Amino acid sequence: MKAASTSLNAEEVGLQIGASHSTARRYLEYLVSINLVEVDIVYGSVGRPERRYKQP
């Protein structure tokens, strides 16, 4: 997360750490709960909103 110049979604984090996106999201949500990571919700035109994670 520190090396990323932009926010990342759980799939991108999962690819970087070698884990599934569901595992990455679980740990990212934990980091959000302890205020080490912030989450932005990006709404597209169709489908579910995307959760993007970044360091504060």
Side-chain angles (χ1 to χ4, degrees), residues 39-52:
V39 65
D40 291 326
I41 300 175
V42 179
Y43 295 93
S45 59
V46 177
R48 293 183 181 176
E50 181 181 23
R51 296 176 68 84
R52 310 264 323 158

Side-chain angles (χ1 to χ4, degrees), residues 6-7 10 12-14 16-17 20 22-23 25 27-28 30 33 36 38-40 42-43 47-48 50-53 56:
T6 62
S7 60
E12 294 165 336
V13 173
Q16 289 183 5
I17 65 171
S20 69
S22 59
T23 299
R25 178 158 182 199
Y27 286 104
L28 286 166
Y30 170 73
S33 74
L36 290 179
E38 293 178 346
V39 65
D40 291 326
V42 179
Y43 295 93
R48 293 183 181 176
E50 181 181 23
R51 296 176 68 84
R52 310 264 323 158
Y53 301 91

